[in-house]
């Protein structure tokens, strides 16, 4: 009786909301049907989540891992066809799913027409069976919404016709025969392959760092923004680009310097149309007789190596933008004493007489002293005013600022990062953030100064996200926006930034000083304590996640697998999935990254070997060689009701039950559908 009374009280308190809900469900029958539907969905297996981090512009590898779902598609093929197909045939079917248009082109080139018809028949059967398997965990409605519009009816029919009777077999065969005879088999195969890839992964998580180093960040962004269900937790390289798009000059200089350091101008010039001609002209004139040996780009093993003249020009531009960067950063540091980064201003510490750099007091231990400089040719540095931009440098900066502001494609992608991105995500028991959680020496949460106040833990992340959004969307005329824009640069390299969390970014020392001890960037205490289960448990609880099945998922610091480092820490509560997706890291890590799959049966951490190329993958069936290095199986199958979405659906059910009570009590009158339809039509007119 008490329970009925409390429900009735809740109904009366929510009456205004329930009247709005009644517009969607105007009768008790409609509300009851929706309750039944939602209760059924709660008992479905949870959808598969796919986690990637630190893709750093490596578009081909990223695209391939996305297409093969970290091996999930091949695993499904093996489970279905292991007893009826050879390994070679299964590899061929997997490659067809990944790259249907390219494989079909090769099939037509290699096969006779008669053989092609036979291949169509077998392949269509296999693809429908595979598609049926990947759709099992979804409602028909969700599957229907995932189907390509032009073939949705036919695919839906095939998915739900299992051929149990001779008539059904004849029906299915007739569909295949007709598709082939009217010349639509290729289109239909492409549609099936796209559907399989769409259904095998329900949700994609990018745990930071889309940008820098590799040549295809713009293509990765296009793919991400067209993906069916995706989120991103911003990394330090992402925020650097976001800061550049927001108008921060030091962020712009860093973005260009990094591109030149890796001889990767594709994203800058071809992707976003940033005009580097003013910088190139200035660099050639200013450093005409300078070998710029300290600024030789890291070329790696790229197939499209620049020629020697291009390398020299890149080196000149690299030096020019680096000096400009150091000058621009000085101004931000001077304006913000709360950053406590004065030690990073080093140009005034150059001793012009003996060619040394005084690093006294810049190291965490207060040491370092004087060091010989590898380069002393600085025609744009005034000894008496070392941080002042020359007229030529100022012109370069002005042109770059204008070019970044006018790039439509850049701003489309940056707005996309804002719309799907955040500093962190707590979802389905997992806490995702790119890099670090600032900690004190004793392992407790560190209070960090942001503006005039201090924040720690979740509150720190929330405040930082507010500033990141203010930097891009705030009123450009206000001081608040300028403060936020400056903070974007701090997030890139500030010692208490949770996206960096090191003592210093020793860029200048790495260029000009041989002594590698001066290059040291001491990591924050998070990296000391992240291997301890108690620390992971404490951080998870800060974000409202408790229990044995909760995890922290990070990227940022590559796991050096060849040195014995492991991606699993804190008793299994913390996973680091940056293992070297970027080619620039692979000589250090020994692998090509980790990805994570989380489905209704548990978690699988997958380690990947370097990806050769798309061409090799198609011609030689050269899939990324991957091995599952961790499987955490759930004791019970994880259902939708156990997820964040399940909680939302349960809330909807609770509200619908209140609506039913309101109907039963006569607090809201049921309306025939005809009456509702007339009301809606009147609103439209």
């Amino acid at each position: 009786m008490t329970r009925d009374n409390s429900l009735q009280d809740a109904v009366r308190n929510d009456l205004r909301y329930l009247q709005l809900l009644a517009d969607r469900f105007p009768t008790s029958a409609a509300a009851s049907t929706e309750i039944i539907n939602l209760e059924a969905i709660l008992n479905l297996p949870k959808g598969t989540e796919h986690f990637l981090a630190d893709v750093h512009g490596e578009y081909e590898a990223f695209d391939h891992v996305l297409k093969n779902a970290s091996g999930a598609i091949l695993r499904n093929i093996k489970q279905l066809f292991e007893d009826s197909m050879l390994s070679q045939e299964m590899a061929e079917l997997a490659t067809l799913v990944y790259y249907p248009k390219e494989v079909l082109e090769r099939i037509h080139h290699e096969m006779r027409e008669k053989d092609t018809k036979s291949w169509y028949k077998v392949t269509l059967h296999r693809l429908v069976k595979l598609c049926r398997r990947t759709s099992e965990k979804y409602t028909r409605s969700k599957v229907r919404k995932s189907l390509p519009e032009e073939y949705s009816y036919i695919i839906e029919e095939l998915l739900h016709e299992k051929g149990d009777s001779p008539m059904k077999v004849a029906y299915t065969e007739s569909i295949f025969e007709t598709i082939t005879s009217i010349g639509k088999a290729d289109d239909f195969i492409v549609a099936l392959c796209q559907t399989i890839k769409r259904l095998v992964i329900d949700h994609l998580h990018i745990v930071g760092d889309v940008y820098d180093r590799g040549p295809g960040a713009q293509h990765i962004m296009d793919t991400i923004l067209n993906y069916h269900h995706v989120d991103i937790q911003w990394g330090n390289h992402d925020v650097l680009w976001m800061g550049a798009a927001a108008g921060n000059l030091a962020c712009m200089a860093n973005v260009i310097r990094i591109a030149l350091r890796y001889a990767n101008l594709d994203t800058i010039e071809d992707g976003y149309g940033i005009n580097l001609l003013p910088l190139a002209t200035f660099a050639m004139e200013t450093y005409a007789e300078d070998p710029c040996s300290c600024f030789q780009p890291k070329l790696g093993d790229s197939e499209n190596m620049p020629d020697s003249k291009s390398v020299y020009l890149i080196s000149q531009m690299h030096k020019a933008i680096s000096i400009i960067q150091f000058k621009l950063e000085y101004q931000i540091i001077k304006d913000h004493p709360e950053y406590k980064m004065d030690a990073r201003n080093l140009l005034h510490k150059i001793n012009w007489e003996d060619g040394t750099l005084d690093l006294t007091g810049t190291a965490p231990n207060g040491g370092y002293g004087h060091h010989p400089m590898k380069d002393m040719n600085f025609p744009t540095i005034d000894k008496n005013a070392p941080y002042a931009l020359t007229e030529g440098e100022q012109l370069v900066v002005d042109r770059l600022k204008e070019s970044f502001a006018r790039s439509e494609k850049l701003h489309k992608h940056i707005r996309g990062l804002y719309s799907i991105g955040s500093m962190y995500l707590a979802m389905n028991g997992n806490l995702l953030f790119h890099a670090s959680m600032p900690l004190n020496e004793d392992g407790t949460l560190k209070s960090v100064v942001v503006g005039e106040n201090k924040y720690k833990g979740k509150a720190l992340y929330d405040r930082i996200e507010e500033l990141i959004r203010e930097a891009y969307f705030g009123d450009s005329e206000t001081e608040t926006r300028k403060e936020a824009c400056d903070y974007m640069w701090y997030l890139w390299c500030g010692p208490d930034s949770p996206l960096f969390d090191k003592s210093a970014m020793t860029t200048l020392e790495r260029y000009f000083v041989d002594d590698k001890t001066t290059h040291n960037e001491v990591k924050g205490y998070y990296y000391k304590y992240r291997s301890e289960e108690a620390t992971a448990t404490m951080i998870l609880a800060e974000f409202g996640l408790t229990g044995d099945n909760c995890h922290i998922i990070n990227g940022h610091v590559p796991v050096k697998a060849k040195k014995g480092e492991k991606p699993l820490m804190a008793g299994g509560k913390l996973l680091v999935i940056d293992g070297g997706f970027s080619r620039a890291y692979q000589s250090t890590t020994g692998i090509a990254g980790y990805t994570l799959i989380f489905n209704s049966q548990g978690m699988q951490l997958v380690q990947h070997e370097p990806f050769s190329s798309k061409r090799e993958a198609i011609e030689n069936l050269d899939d990324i060689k991957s091995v599952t290095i961790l499987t955490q199986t759930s004791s019970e199958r994880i259902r939708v009701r156990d997820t964040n979405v399940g909680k939302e659906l349960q809330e909807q059910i609770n509200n619908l039950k209140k609506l039913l009570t309101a109907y039963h009590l006569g607090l809201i009158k049921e309306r025939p559908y005809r009456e509702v339809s007339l009301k809606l039509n009147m609103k439209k007119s």
Side-chain angles (χ1 to χ4, degrees):
M1 189 70 175
T2 305
R3 182 179 176 185
D4 289 342
N5 289 337
S6 62
L7 178 59
Q8 290 178 24
D9 290 342
V11 168
R12 288 185 170 89
N13 290 334
D14 294 340
L15 204 55
R16 291 190 66 182
Y17 167 72
L18 295 176
Q19 286 170 335
L20 293 173
L21 191 61
D23 283 341
R24 286 189 60 203
F25 305 99
T27 66
S28 58
S32 299
T33 300
E34 184 66 4
I35 290 170
I36 294 166
N37 175 49
L38 294 178
E39 287 284 5
I41 292 172
L42 289 178
N43 286 290
L44 287 171
K46 76 173 283 296
T48 299
E49 297 172 68
H50 194 190
F51 301 77
L52 286 76
D54 298 271
V55 293
H56 282 301
E58 296 291 349
Y59 174 66
E60 278 205 347
F62 166 82
D63 189 54
H64 188 78
V65 168
L66 217 59
K67 282 176 163 54
N68 78 2
S70 289
I73 288 175
L74 186 57
R75 284 192 292 274
N76 274 285
I77 290 172
K78 287 180 177 179
Q79 291 166 5
L80 275 172
F81 302 113
E82 200 159 26
D83 295 333
S84 58
M85 292 174 66
L86 300 174
S87 296
Q88 171 82 0
E89 292 176 312
M90 289 189 285
E92 289 173 351
L93 183 60
T95 304
L96 173 65
V97 174
Y98 308 156
Y99 303 104
K101 293 179 182 178
E102 294 85 349
V103 171
L104 284 165
E105 185 177 330
R106 182 172 59 82
I107 291 292
H108 289 301
H109 180 72
E110 295 176 357
M111 283 188 180
R112 297 176 303 174
E113 186 177 348
K114 182 179 178 181
D115 295 331
T116 304
K117 288 182 179 179
S118 175
W119 180 87
Y120 278 144
K121 183 176 181 180
V122 173
T123 301
L124 285 167
H125 274 284
R126 288 171 174 171
L127 288 174
V128 168
K129 194 171 182 180
L130 179 60
C131 192
R132 188 179 296 140
R133 182 181 183 87
T134 60
S135 68
E136 285 175 348
K137 64 176 66 176
Y138 305 117
T139 63
R140 285 197 180 194
S141 174
K142 185 166 183 174
V143 172
R144 189 180 302 119
K145 292 172 185 174
S146 304
L147 301 178
E149 187 176 347
E150 62 272 28
Y151 293 111
S152 60
Y153 173 75
I154 300 172
I155 294 176
E156 189 174 5
E157 283 289 295
L158 291 171
L159 291 182
H160 299 106
E161 293 296 344
K162 297 187 179 180
D164 297 330
S165 71
M167 291 186 67
K168 290 295 185 183
V169 171
Y171 173 70
T172 302
E173 292 297 329
S174 174
I175 291 175
F176 291 155
E177 287 288 342
T178 304
I179 289 170
T180 304
S181 66
I182 63 175
K184 289 294 182 181
D186 283 7
D187 286 348
F188 193 67
I189 285 172
V190 170
L192 279 172
C193 292
Q194 302 294 15
T195 302
I196 290 165
K197 286 181 287 193
R198 165 66 180 80
L199 293 173
V200 77
I201 297 298
D202 188 46
H203 194 124
L204 174 66
H205 304 282
I206 308 292
V207 193
D209 279 359
V210 168
Y211 283 93
D212 292 331
R213 298 195 175 92
Q218 71 276 23
H219 303 307
I220 294 174
M221 284 304 303
D222 281 335
T223 301
I224 288 173
L225 295 180
N226 286 313
Y227 203 78
H228 53 271
H229 203 179
V230 61
D231 57 68
I232 182 168
Q233 292 70 56
W234 303 314
N236 54 323
H237 288 268
D238 305 317
V239 165
L240 183 66
W241 277 81
M242 293 159 76
N248 185 288
L249 298 176
C251 289
M252 291 181 204
N254 272 280
V255 160
I256 294 167
R257 179 185 62 80
I258 293 169
L260 292 163
R261 181 173 175 78
Y262 291 92
N264 164 33
L265 300 179
D266 295 34
T267 298
I268 294 277
E269 293 186 309
D270 300 335
Y272 295 136
I274 305 298
N275 182 13
L276 295 184
L277 183 58
L279 174 62
T281 303
F282 171 80
M284 285 189 291
E285 292 173 354
T286 306
Y287 301 102
E289 305 300 325
D290 189 336
C292 298
S293 54
C294 294
F295 294 89
Q296 292 284 308
K298 294 179 178 291
L299 298 176
D301 57 356
S302 172
E303 293 180 3
N304 302 314
M305 300 283 280
D307 58 34
S308 58
K309 288 184 178 180
S310 297
V311 169
Y312 181 46
L313 176 57
I314 288 171
S315 301
Q316 291 173 307
M317 295 167 68
H318 188 184
K319 183 172 184 177
I321 199 65
S322 297
I323 301 304
I324 289 172
Q325 175 191 312
F326 300 142
K327 293 181 177 184
L328 293 171
E329 290 177 336
Y330 163 82
Q331 189 61 51
I332 296 179
I333 293 169
K334 183 174 74 71
D335 290 346
H336 294 278
E338 73 274 16
Y339 291 175
K340 297 181 180 178
M341 293 178 68
D342 286 344
R344 298 315 309 145
N345 289 326
L346 297 173
L347 295 184
H348 69 285
K349 294 195 172 187
I350 297 173
N351 188 315
W352 297 92
E353 283 68 38
D354 64 9
T356 63
L357 181 67
D358 181 7
L359 295 177
T360 303
T362 64
N365 59 9
Y368 284 163
H370 294 254
H371 292 267
M373 292 276 286
K374 294 192 290 182
D375 184 345
M376 283 296 294
N377 182 34
F378 302 116
T380 68
I381 297 180
D382 182 341
K383 299 174 188 178
N384 299 314
Y387 299 103
L389 292 171
T390 66
E391 185 178 341
E393 287 175 326
Q394 186 63 58
L395 180 61
V396 169
V397 169
D398 291 342
R399 294 286 179 83
L400 287 174
K401 182 178 181 180
E402 181 181 352
S403 196
F404 271 86
R406 288 185 174 181
S407 174
E408 292 183 12
K409 185 72 173 284
L410 170 65
H411 287 278
K412 175 187 175 183
H413 284 174
I414 295 302
R415 286 193 296 271
L417 277 179
Y418 275 100
S419 67
I420 63 171
S422 57
M423 277 293 293
Y424 68 91
L425 177 68
M427 178 176 173
N428 299 340
N430 296 314
L431 175 62
L432 285 61
F433 57 87
H434 176 66
S436 167
M437 173 61 66
L439 299 178
N440 294 310
E441 188 174 0
D442 63 359
T444 56
L445 294 172
K446 183 177 182 178
S447 292
V448 173
V449 175
V450 183
E452 298 179 354
N453 299 301
K454 287 186 175 182
Y455 305 86
K456 63 181 179 179
K458 182 177 180 295
L460 172 63
Y461 268 72
D462 289 337
R463 178 60 183 139
I464 287 173
E465 180 159 340
E466 289 175 2
L467 286 175
I468 290 174
R469 296 187 181 280
E470 174 69 28
Y472 191 79
F473 293 108
D475 187 341
S476 59
E477 302 301 319
T478 64
E479 186 65 23
T480 305
R481 168 114 186 256
K482 181 187 179 303
E483 296 284 315
C485 278
D486 287 350
Y487 198 75
M488 296 289 275
W489 173 81
Y490 181 85
L491 287 170
W492 161 246
C493 60
D496 281 333
S497 163
L499 297 178
F500 182 63
D501 198 12
K502 295 179 185 178
S503 58
M505 186 174 284
T506 56
T507 305
L508 189 144
E509 293 94 322
R510 290 171 185 268
Y511 283 131
F512 296 121
V513 179
D514 270 326
D515 185 352
K516 291 191 176 180
T517 61
T518 68
H519 305 173
N520 193 28
E521 300 174 351
V522 180
K523 295 176 185 174
Y525 288 108
Y526 176 77
Y527 297 100
K528 173 184 177 181
Y529 288 104
R530 67 177 178 169
S531 59
E532 297 186 7
E533 187 172 347
T535 299
T537 300
M538 179 262 296
I539 294 172
L540 286 163
E542 171 72 8
F543 289 82
L545 300 177
T546 57
D548 295 334
N549 295 320
C550 295
H551 306 83
I552 295 171
I553 300 172
N554 288 161
H556 188 58
V557 179
V559 177
K560 298 173 183 176
K562 72 178 185 180
K563 291 187 177 181
E565 292 183 2
K566 303 295 183 184
L568 191 65
M569 304 177 188
K573 281 190 168 292
L574 189 147
L575 299 96
V576 181
I577 58 172
D578 178 7
F581 224 110
S582 171
R583 292 179 187 270
Y585 287 147
Q586 288 170 11
S587 61
T588 303
T589 61
I591 59 171
Y594 298 97
T595 55
L596 184 68
I597 291 289
F598 180 30
N599 57 28
S600 62
Q601 297 173 319
M603 284 187 163
Q604 288 183 312
L605 186 64
V606 182
Q607 176 181 303
H608 302 284
E609 296 301 314
F611 180 58
S612 52
S613 68
K614 177 180 174 179
R615 180 179 56 81
E616 292 287 328
I618 295 167
E619 293 180 1
N620 303 327
L621 306 179
D622 191 12
D623 201 348
I624 289 182
K625 295 178 178 62
S626 306
V627 56
T628 300
I629 63 171
L630 163 74
T631 302
Q632 288 187 349
T633 305
S634 177
S635 56
E636 295 182 5
R637 195 122 191 226
I638 305 169
R639 306 285 176 181
V640 171
R641 71 169 61 254
D642 304 313
T643 68
N644 286 46
V645 170
K647 292 175 184 176
E648 293 173 7
L649 295 180
Q650 186 60 60
E651 183 64 24
Q652 292 177 34
I653 290 170
N654 294 341
N655 287 327
L656 286 165
K657 287 181 176 178
K658 291 179 187 177
L659 179 59
L660 281 180
T661 301
Y663 283 144
H664 295 158
L665 294 174
L667 297 173
I668 298 176
K669 302 298 182 183
E670 296 187 54
R671 290 168 294 159
Y673 277 106
R674 183 173 178 277
E675 180 184 328
V676 175
S677 179
L678 287 171
K679 182 180 178 182
L680 290 174
N681 287 333
M682 288 176 67
K683 284 184 178 179
K684 288 179 183 178
S685 61

